Amino acid sequence: MSTKDFIEKDYYKVLGVPKDATEAEIKKAYRKLAREFHPDANKGNTKAEERFKEISEANDILGDPKKRKEYDEARALFGNGGFRPGPGAGGGNFNFDLGDLFGGQPGGQAGGGFGGGLGDVFGGLFNRGGAGTTRTQPRRGQDIESEVTLSFTEAIEGATVPLRMSSQAACKACSGTGDKNGTPRVCPTCVGTGQVARGSGGGFSLTDPCPDCKGRGLIAEEPCDICKGSGRAKSSRTMQVRIPAGVSDGQRIRLRGKGAPGERGGAAGDLYVVVHVGTHPVFGRKDDNLTITVPVTYPEAALGGEVRVPTLGGPPVTLKLPPGTPNGRTMRARGKGAVRKDGTRGDLLVTVEVSVPKDLTGKARDALEAYREATAEEDPRAELFQAAKGA
C-alpha cells in the first residue's frame, strides 16, 4: 500500500471513533473489533482476515501518540486527496492530483517541487519505507509424528484406527491472540510481518524471525496466563485415521493437513504416522506377496495330488502337486497376496514341506519296509559322493 493510500484512509472510521477520541477510547474500540474479527475466531473467512488487518493497522497509527499526531497533520495538509495551499497561493478550488505528488513525474521532480515524491517524506511515519504494507502473515501449523500398531491382517486389508495426539494449537483462554484481553498489537519491530531483514554483504539481504514477536507479527500487551503470550498451548485430540491396505512394517505415511492447526488462517501441518505390524501364526510376507508353508505327506509328494491351502481372509485354494514334488518347492496362488498401490494384489507363495510321521502303525510300517526293499538298489547320495571326489 502506498503512502498516498495511507493518508487518504480514515483510520478513525476504521475503528469507529471520533477524531477527538481519547487513547482509552481508541484502545477500547480496537480490542472490541480485534476480538470480533481475529482470524482464529473466523477460520477460512478472508473478509474477516482483511478487516482484522485494517483494524490492526489503524491501531498501530492511532494508538501511538507520535504517529497519530503526524497522521493528523498529514491528513490536514492533504485532506480528501486535495492539496490545501496556504495564504497567497492563488484562489479558490486549487487542487492537485495526489497521484502526481506521490508517484513523481517522468523527466523531472514530483509535482509541487517535492523532489523524489512524498512517499520518501512520509515513509518513516508509517515505518514502511514508503510503499510497504502491514501484514500479519498466516503461519502454517507444525507437522506431527505418531505411531500405530496394526495386526498382520489389518495391515494387509487396511484399517481405521483412533489416534490420540498432542500438539500446539490456538490457546483457548485467549482465542490464540496471546493477549489476556484478546487484543494484541502489531509488532513495531517487524510491522506485523514476523520477519526482519539483515544484511549479508554483496548487496543481498536475508530475513530472520522477528526477535521481539518470535515471528508472530503480534505482541501481547497483557500476556495470557496460560500461553504466556505465545498464542499457542498444548492441546490433545483424538482422530480417526484411515491406514491404507498393504502397508508394511516401518512404513511412514503422510496425511496432509492433519497436523497442528495453523495461526491467523494458516494451513494446518501434516501428520506422519509410523506403522508397526504384528506377526501372523500362519502367514508371512515378502514385498507384495504373502507366504505360507504347507505340510504334505510323502505319498502326496511322490505320487502327486491336490492340496487345499488356506488364504488370508478368503476361501481356501486348491493346488495340484505334480508327481515327484521335492521338499521345499514353492508354488504360486495368484492374486491371493497383499494389496498393491494400484489396487491389485500380489500372490500367495506356497512352500511344500514333506511331513515325516513320528509314530507308525503296523500296516504303515509294513508298507514302508516293503518300499525300502523295492528301492534298495537306488542310492540318492551316489551323485553327492561322486561330486565330492571330483572337486
Side-chain angles (χ1 to χ4, degrees), residues 55-114:
I55 295 165
S56 299
E57 187 176 70
N59 181 69
D60 185 37
I61 301 301
L62 301 184
D64 186 313
K66 182 179 179 181
K67 290 183 180 180
R68 181 182 180 184
K69 180 181 178 182
E70 293 175 339
Y71 169 73
D72 288 341
E73 291 176 351
R75 289 275 293 175
L77 180 61
F78 302 103
N80 299 322
F83 178 74
R84 298 182 182 177
N93 300 322
F94 183 72
N95 294 326
F96 277 86
D97 182 358
L98 283 177
D100 295 336
L101 290 173
F102 287 93
Q105 297 177 353
Q109 291 183 337
F114 282 101

Side-chain angles (χ1 to χ4, degrees), residues 342-353:
D342 61 2
T344 61
R345 284 183 175 269
D347 302 330
L348 176 63
L349 305 180
V350 182
T351 300
V352 172
E353 183 179 74

Side-chain angles (χ1 to χ4, degrees), residues 37-300:
F37 292 99
H38 195 279
D40 286 338
N42 299 272
K43 295 186 182 300
N45 189 337
T46 55
K47 290 185 178 180
E49 182 180 347
E50 291 300 320
R51 179 77 170 114
F52 179 76
K53 292 175 182 178
E54 285 186 345
I55 295 165
S56 299
E57 187 176 70
N59 181 69
D60 185 37
I61 301 301
L62 301 184
D64 186 313
K66 182 179 179 181
K67 290 183 180 180
R68 181 182 180 184
K69 180 181 178 182
E70 293 175 339
Y71 169 73
D72 288 341
E73 291 176 351
R75 289 275 293 175
L77 180 61
F78 302 103
N80 299 322
F83 178 74
R84 298 182 182 177
N93 300 322
F94 183 72
N95 294 326
F96 277 86
D97 182 358
L98 283 177
D100 295 336
L101 290 173
F102 287 93
Q105 297 177 353
Q109 291 183 337
F114 282 101
L118 290 180
D120 296 331
V121 176
F122 293 102
L125 167 63
F126 303 106
N127 197 22
R128 291 171 178 80
T133 60
T134 297
R135 297 290 182 189
T136 50
Q137 299 288 351
R139 295 184 70 188
R140 181 181 180 276
Q142 292 181 334
D143 293 336
I144 302 175
E145 184 168 295
S146 185
E147 295 180 309
V148 64
T149 299
L150 302 179
S151 68
F152 188 90
T153 302
E154 288 175 329
I156 298 300
E157 302 296 336
T160 299
V161 297
L163 281 183
R164 183 170 180 81
M165 297 174 294
S166 295
S167 64
Q168 294 292 318
C171 176
K172 295 182 179 179
C174 63
S175 299
T177 64
D179 189 273
K180 185 183 297 184
N181 300 309
T183 55
R185 62 185 176 89
V186 175
C187 175
T189 303
C190 65
V191 199
T193 64
Q195 297 179 328
V196 292
R198 60 180 174 89
S200 61
F204 294 95
S205 63
L206 303 175
T207 58
D208 291 327
C210 177
D212 293 335
C213 66
K214 304 299 187 293
R216 298 187 69 235
L218 300 173
I219 291 181
E221 293 186 353
E222 297 183 52
C224 171
D225 295 332
I226 303 301
C227 66
K228 310 303 180 185
S230 69
R232 314 292 284 176
K234 190 173 183 180
S235 174
S236 296
R237 56 184 172 135
T238 300
M239 63 185 300
Q240 300 294 320
V241 175
R242 178 64 186 176
I243 305 297
V247 295
S248 56
D249 185 53
Q251 185 172 340
R252 194 168 182 252
I253 301 173
R254 179 186 184 185
L255 301 175
R256 295 181 182 274
K258 298 299 183 182
E263 288 188 75
R264 298 188 295 279
D270 298 333
L271 170 63
Y272 292 88
V273 181
V274 179
V275 180
H276 302 287
V277 180
T279 59
H280 194 280
V282 173
F283 296 96
R285 184 172 179 180
K286 184 178 181 181
D287 299 327
D288 294 328
N289 301 318
L290 298 183
T291 62
I292 186 174
T293 300
V294 177
V296 297
T297 65
Y298 180 75
E300 287 174 328

